Every structure is written in C-alpha cells, then in structure tokens.
Amino acid sequence: ELKVEQNPLFLSMQEGKNYTIYCNYSTTSDRLYWYRQDPGKSLESLFVLLSNGAVKQEGRLMASLDTKARLSTLHITAAVHDLSATYFCAVETNRGSQGNLIFGKGTKLSVKP
Amino acid sequence: DTAVSQTPKYLVTQMGNDKSIKCEQNLGHDTMYWYKQDSKKFLKIMFSYNNKELIINETVPNRFSPKSPDKAHLNLHINSLELGDSAVYFCASSRSISGMGTDTQYFGPGTRLTVL
C-alpha cells in the first residue's frame, strides 16, 4: 500500500528566508503532484513531476523529483507572506491507475514579517 | 468561467437525513472524483468515474453513492447521515491519458457538510 509522508507538518518562517518541504513515498510511482490550499479554499495545482530528475519552478517555489529515492522536495526561496498556505504532495499509485492519488498530510506554512 | 463547480457550498443537516452534493465540470475532462477532507485537513479519495463508469471505490460506507449522469457531472448522495460524515467534500476532474493514468486533477471549491 502506497504511503506518502510529508515533513515538516508545520513550518513557521520569516520573510526572506529559504526552506524545503520534503515528500517521501513508499512504492514506485512516476507521477507526483504538489498542490496549495489556502484556508477555507480549494486545492490549486502547483506542479506535476513526471520523471526522475524533473525540476519545475514557478516564482519562489521550485519542486524536484528523485524517483530512485522516492523523494520530492518543494523549495521556497526568499519567502513572502503570500506563500502562507498548506502545501500537499500527492502521488499516483501506479501507471494506468486512473488518478488514484494518495495525499500527504500537508505542510502548513506560515510566513511572518 | 468556473471550471469545477459544486453545490451547495455549505450543508448543515441533522443525523439520519439524506442529502446530495452536485458537481459539474466544463473542462471537457472524462474522469471525475470525490474526495473527503477531514478536520485535520487529511484528504482521501472516495470514488472516481471515467466516462460515467466507476473506476475507484475506496473503503467508503455504502451509505455514500456516487452517480454520474454524464461525463460532466458526478453527484454524491449520502443516506442516513452520521456525525462522522462532517467534513469538506471536494469534487475534482482530470483527463485520462491512454495507458498513462490521468493528468492533473482540478478541484472544485468544496462543500462543507456539518451533521448535527
């Protein structure tokens, strides 16, 4: 059974600092997603990572995937208050599984001035 | 234009009642999903439909019954509501990629269900 673990679950950081959120998963998968959720809101897709070594960047966020280590990272550069949200990684169980995503528990990020 | 919409946004009801949540997507996707997010923000898939056919049916009480009248709609009917059903229910949709699973899932705004 696929398990997805994120850490940390809570992250309080100051504006301007850098930090990394980690997402480990337990069985082989070739498709990993990062989502953002603001309080009381829906989930917004940030990145989809499809292959080993994939790296994607959008603004101050950069995501990477190492399928051999079964690890994805979400790196935050020079954090700003607007990045405060909960970030989820989600892993598709196996190819052709028709979208059976297993979500991590989420990392609640709070960026303080 | 709302890509994935759900109604109602809030639903407050008594234990034992039956209620439905509706979901519609205008993205032309062929796969739709229902997720439950509990009070600790943990998200778990409940069902998925591909071209109106049930694909994923996780361990969910049979009081929950999804219905897909067409590819653009996936409704969730819940019988005999219990306190533990209180949660936020999200609908999502995606397009399937032949032999490769599915593409990014797009989520609706959520329905906050409170059972009293």
Side-chain angles (χ1 to χ4, degrees):
Chain A
E1 180 186 338
L2 174 62
K3 292 189 190 317
V4 180
E5 291 187 0
Q6 279 182 245
N7 70 84
L9 297 183
F10 298 94
L11 178 55
S12 180
M13 56 191 298
Q14 285 192 304
E15 281 191 327
K17 298 291 187 184
N18 304 333
Y19 210 83
T20 300
I21 299 170
Y22 297 88
C23 176
N24 288 91
Y25 54 99
S26 60
T27 63
T28 301
S29 175
D30 293 327
R31 197 176 291 257
L32 187 142
Y33 300 84
W34 284 96
Y35 285 88
R36 169 182 171 146
Q37 186 178 34
D38 290 299
K41 302 291 186 182
S42 184
L43 282 87
E44 174 192 353
S45 174
L46 294 174
F47 302 108
V48 53
L49 301 167
L50 301 177
S51 60
N52 188 40
V55 176
K56 290 198 175 175
Q57 182 160 5
E58 179 77 32
R60 300 174 189 274
L61 300 177
M62 183 173 72
S64 66
L65 178 62
D66 180 343
T67 57
K68 292 178 182 175
R70 296 178 190 158
L71 171 68
S72 179
T73 61
L74 181 67
H75 187 73
I76 304 152
T77 302
V80 292
H81 178 70
D82 285 352
L83 289 179
S84 297
T86 299
Y87 293 85
F88 291 93
C89 67
V91 180
E92 190 160 340
T93 51
N94 51 57
R95 186 169 292 183
S97 69
Q98 293 294 331
N100 191 357
L101 290 187
I102 306 299
F103 278 79
K105 291 186 177 180
T107 297
K108 186 172 182 179
L109 172 65
S110 176
V111 181
K112 301 182 188 307
Chain B
D1 287 345
T2 304
V4 183
S5 59
Q6 294 178 230
T7 54
K9 190 168 173 59
Y10 299 97
L11 187 50
V12 180
T13 189
Q14 300 286 333
M15 275 177 56
N17 284 350
D18 303 338
K19 290 293 178 185
S20 292
I21 306 172
K22 295 186 176 182
C23 177
E24 177 180 1
Q25 55 93 5
N26 63 6
L27 296 167
H29 291 162
D30 54 3
T31 307
M32 296 184 71
Y33 312 81
W34 279 109
Y35 287 86
K36 178 179 180 180
Q37 186 172 46
D38 63 22
S39 58
K40 294 182 179 177
K41 305 299 182 192
F42 183 57
L43 264 162
K44 187 169 166 58
I45 192 166
M46 301 172 69
F47 303 102
S48 84
Y49 269 74
N50 176 261
N51 284 316
K52 303 196 301 173
E53 181 184 342
L54 181 64
I55 299 298
I56 298 170
N57 183 0
E58 290 298 300
T59 307
V60 175
N62 58 15
R63 298 181 294 103
F64 290 78
S65 53
K67 284 191 171 44
S68 181
D70 56 56
K71 283 196 317 183
H73 296 84
L74 180 63
N75 304 323
L76 183 66
H77 188 75
I78 316 169
N79 289 327
S80 303
L81 278 155
E82 299 178 358
L83 293 175
D85 297 332
S86 295
V88 180
Y89 292 84
F90 285 100
C91 176
S93 75
S94 68
R95 67 183 180 101
S96 57
I97 306 168
S98 179
M100 299 283 288
T102 63
D103 206 347
T104 301
Q105 294 183 23
Y106 292 87
F107 284 75
T111 296
R112 182 174 293 276
L113 171 65
T114 304
V115 183
L116 303 175

